[in-house]
Amino acid sequence: MSYSFKTSFQLKQTIQSVQKKKLQDLLQYLQHKSPFYKERFAAHHIDITQIESVAGLAHIPTTTKEDLQQRNDDFLCVSRDEIIEYTSTSGTLGSPVTVALTENDLQRLAYNEYASFACADGKATDVYQLMLTLDRQFMAGMAYYSGIRKLGAGIIRLGPGVPSLQWETIFRLKPTAIVGVPSFILKLIHYATEHGIDINNSSVKKAICIGENIRNTDFSLNVLGSKINEAWKINLYSTYASTEMQTAFTECSAGIGGHLNPELVIAELLDENNRQVPPGVPGEVTITTLGVEGMPLLRYKTGDICMSFDEPCSCGRNTIRLSPVIGRKKQMIKFKGTTLFAPALFDLLNGMEDIKDYVAEVYSNEIGTDEVLLHLLPLSYSEACDHKIRAYLQAKLRVTPHIKYVTTEEMQGMQFPEMGRKAVKFIDRR
């Protein structure tokens, strides 16, 4: 027992030492290369030589999404001829942000996903079917591809959608793993059920789940994750990432949170006053990138609310782990006295057997308070079905949102607007 504790302590000390050195390198780099941070350090009289540890970050102001949107070019630390790849955020919470990468940044990105896939029990003998876009400036698709190549595994670049083609390819090329959005995996299951496909007789043994929660905050499978696993007996691994951080938090087989890659990013979870919250307490994920050349970020507030956990994992890693995203700060809904985050609403809607698909829309009424309109694609509309849906929502939410029933074509148009690269489930018109 004492040996195990000592080993864990030593590993954490090593992590702290690595992060301290990389943080000091970053501060020097920003001081000399970043127009935005050079100005910020001067405006706040910050002497970077006095920041001697990760804890010292508390003396530096945070960076916001608005900073990045309004002064995008001022975050660039290299000349244009050093940029190899231009990626962008999806613009979920406002106008998209361009994130430029150098050759070293692309190598770092590949290493990040290599480590992430290895964490999720990936091996060189695996074959991954990628059910996501690799175009439209989408960093994640490129990152997965690069990471799997570094792992030495096989890749099938099939792209999103088209369940019939996904299944045909699975049975023809026999991938051992899929990478996709959980709600689309559920559509694969529905398609298989309708067409008599024996999914548990396929070659697929695991799924890397991106973009949506598959777990509750206690790490049990949520409705979406449970529906997948009840039908398809495969191992599910959750991931959390963003374009800006150029890093991912990925689960191991223990399924108790996404592991930090400490050599690539420093993660703080902050309260409303930008103070670090203790493990197990919700806070806003705030990241400092390590080893990024093109557009490094210092104390960047992602807008995502998570919890962290720091006890050693059964997989042997001693890095902090992040919970599923509880909600996005700007997507918090105050509806008739009830506080609601979008993921909780999605989980509720995913659990309704009478609903095939949905989009939640939030807008301000004439007195400035939030209103919720649910665009629902019912399994089969009837007055009885409508009554059942409204009664269920009233029972679960204690308030009833506005409901509008839509056709399959209307739902497709709402979820996949022109040039969109992932399904839209939440529209904020406030």
Side-chain angles (χ1 to χ4, degrees), residues 10 17 138 152 188 193 196 240 398 412 423:
Q10 288 175 332
S17 177
F138 188 40
L188 285 181
T193 302
Y240 164 67
R398 298 186 300 279
Q412 184 74 10

Side-chain angles (χ1 to χ4, degrees), residues 46-65:
I46 294 169
D47 180 358
I48 60 169
T49 64
Q50 298 301 306
I51 311 297
E52 297 180 342
S53 67
V54 171
L57 281 171
H59 300 294
I60 299 175
T62 57
T63 302
T64 65
K65 181 85 167 185

Side-chain angles (χ1 to χ4, degrees), residues 18-19 22 108-109 111-113 115-116 245-248 260-266 288-292:
V18 168
Q19 289 200 324
K22 285 182 171 281
R108 176 188 176 280
L109 198 62
Y111 169 77
N112 160 74
E113 287 301 338
S116 294
M245 75 170 81
Q246 303 179 46
T247 320
L260 169 82
N261 283 326
E263 67 274 37
L264 300 182
V265 70
I266 294 169
T288 294
T289 57
L290 301 174
V292 171

Side-chain angles (χ1 to χ4, degrees), residues 14-30:
T14 300
I15 289 169
Q16 289 174 7
S17 177
V18 168
Q19 289 200 324
K20 174 184 175 181
K21 173 66 170 64
K22 285 182 171 281
L23 173 60
Q24 290 171 336
D25 291 344
L26 170 66
L27 292 171
Q28 290 287 344
Y29 185 77
L30 293 175

Side-chain angles (χ1 to χ4, degrees), residues 185-186 189 199-200 205-207 209 214-215 221-237:
I185 296 174
L186 203 55
I189 293 170
I199 60 178
N200 287 303
K205 303 303 177 190
K206 57 192 170 189
C209 298
I214 57 167
R215 298 191 189 279
L221 289 174
N222 63 13
V223 171
L224 191 53
S226 296
K227 280 187 172 183
I228 293 171
N229 250 182
E230 284 165 8
W232 204 355
K233 307 304 180 186
I234 56 177
N235 295 323
L236 303 179
Y237 299 86

Side-chain angles (χ1 to χ4, degrees), residues 70-217:
Q70 293 165 13
R71 300 187 58 186
N72 204 168
D73 288 348
D74 288 337
F75 283 86
L76 191 61
C77 293
V78 297
S79 61
R80 294 278 172 179
D81 60 359
E82 293 179 76
I83 299 170
I84 301 297
E85 183 83 32
Y86 291 90
T87 64
S88 76
T89 61
S90 59
T92 306
L93 294 179
S95 59
V97 166
T98 295
V99 177
L101 293 86
T102 66
E103 178 59 36
N104 284 339
D105 291 338
L106 289 173
Q107 295 300 326
R108 176 188 176 280
L109 198 62
Y111 169 77
N112 160 74
E113 287 301 338
Y114 157 76
S116 294
F117 278 96
C119 183
D121 298 321
K123 299 177 178 62
T125 51
D126 279 317
V127 177
Y128 290 86
Q129 187 158 313
L130 299 182
M131 301 176 173
L132 47 94
T133 185
L134 273 84
D135 56 4
R136 300 183 183 181
Q137 294 185 267
F138 188 40
M139 180 186 285
M142 178 181 65
Y144 300 140
Y145 178 80
S146 302
I148 295 169
R149 280 196 63 188
K150 191 172 181 67
L151 185 67
I155 306 170
I156 304 168
R157 294 184 294 109
L158 203 59
V162 199
S164 57
L165 180 58
Q166 301 287 354
W167 281 116
E168 186 275 328
T169 306
I170 286 171
F171 283 101
R172 180 167 55 89
L173 296 181
K174 298 180 170 46
T176 58
I178 59 177
V179 183
V181 178
S183 57
F184 179 68
I185 296 174
L186 203 55
K187 289 181 179 179
L188 285 181
I189 293 170
H190 289 158
Y191 181 91
T193 302
E194 290 172 355
H195 292 80
I197 297 172
D198 183 0
I199 60 178
N200 287 303
N201 194 34
S202 77
S203 56
V204 176
K205 303 303 177 190
K206 57 192 170 189
I208 310 301
C209 298
I210 64 172
E212 295 173 344
N213 283 348
I214 57 167
R215 298 191 189 279
N216 300 305
T217 52

Side-chain angles (χ1 to χ4, degrees), residues 300-353:
Y300 175 74
K301 302 181 77 172
T302 64
D304 295 322
I305 309 298
C306 292
M307 294 184 290
S308 69
F309 300 89
D310 63 357
E311 66 275 9
C313 182
S314 59
C315 72
R317 292 175 177 84
N318 286 266
T319 53
I320 68 164
R321 304 183 315 280
L322 290 187
S323 74
V325 175
I326 298 168
R328 295 202 63 141
K329 197 170 182 182
K330 289 192 174 180
Q331 289 183 349
M332 186 172 72
I333 307 163
K334 293 277 193 178
F335 183 50
K336 297 181 180 177
T338 299
T339 298
L340 188 64
F341 278 109
L345 182 59
F346 298 164
D347 203 37
L348 182 66
L349 294 168
N350 286 329
M352 299 177 69
E353 298 296 338

